[in-house]
Amino acid sequence: TPVQWNSHQYAGFSDHEPWICVNPDYLEWNVESQEKQSDSILNFYRRISRIHHEHECLVTGSWSELLETHPHVLAYLRKGETETALVVLNLSGFCQKIKLPDACVSNVQSALSNYEPRTIEEQMKLKPYEAHLWFLNGN
């Protein structure tokens, strides 16, 4: 569907009726309303983009998977010259239990989460679609 810019007619996409219908949720879900909400999806993606560009390990770092056999959780390290990032993603609509390596659970700093930031633990229960980015201090 056309980009839903605001709550005006045709979602601010055009002054004329577009050839494809505007989604009826444009009154609530549009760029203008998302910009005003600090916890909106739009602002979450902006934070992701900013963090990605600020940390070289996320761009050029080596990649190593941590939970290779877990069917629903993607957990990996991105290691750069000066920093290491830990990413943990629950890709399912159900809670998932994980056990992270000891080396990943001490001296970390939360950088991004789609839920409330939390302390990392060796054994964790992730909420549905929970996602975290931590930086390991001391590389």
Side-chain angles (χ1 to χ4, degrees):
T1 63
V3 173
Q4 299 176 179
W5 292 108
N6 55 41
S7 60
H8 301 132
Q9 186 176 24
Y10 309 123
F13 178 76
S14 173
D15 292 334
H16 305 284
E17 185 174 1
W19 67 271
I20 189 170
C21 295
V22 173
N23 192 311
D25 69 359
Y26 77 93
L27 293 170
E28 180 181 359
W29 295 100
N30 58 66
V31 172
E32 184 177 71
S33 69
Q34 293 272 306
E35 285 182 327
K36 296 174 185 174
Q37 301 170 28
S38 63
D39 63 344
S40 70
I41 293 172
L42 174 65
N43 284 315
F44 183 76
Y45 276 97
R46 286 178 173 165
R47 283 192 298 278
I48 290 172
S49 180
R50 186 187 77 247
I51 290 170
H52 180 260
H53 291 289
E54 291 174 350
H55 296 275
E56 56 88 19
C57 68
L58 297 172
V59 178
T60 60
S62 63
W63 184 90
S64 59
E65 192 170 356
L66 297 175
L67 304 174
E68 294 178 19
T69 60
H70 200 293
H72 303 291
V73 175
L74 177 60
Y76 60 93
L77 293 172
R78 290 292 307 256
K79 186 174 175 91
E81 289 183 30
T82 60
E83 60 187 354
T84 300
L86 168 61
V87 178
V88 177
L89 309 166
N90 178 0
L91 302 175
S92 79
F94 301 96
C95 290
Q96 299 292 326
K97 291 181 182 180
I98 62 169
K99 183 177 186 322
L100 294 169
D102 292 339
C104 296
V105 299
S106 61
N107 206 17
V108 298
Q109 179 181 357
S110 178
L112 187 69
S113 176
N114 63 336
Y115 283 90
E116 291 295 316
R118 65 191 275 188
T119 306
I120 192 170
E121 301 166 16
E122 184 180 348
Q123 295 191 31
M124 298 175 67
K125 185 175 182 181
L126 300 172
K127 296 175 184 173
Y129 304 109
E130 187 170 357
H132 292 280
L133 168 64
W134 290 283
F135 287 100
L136 281 64
N137 299 317
N139 201 16

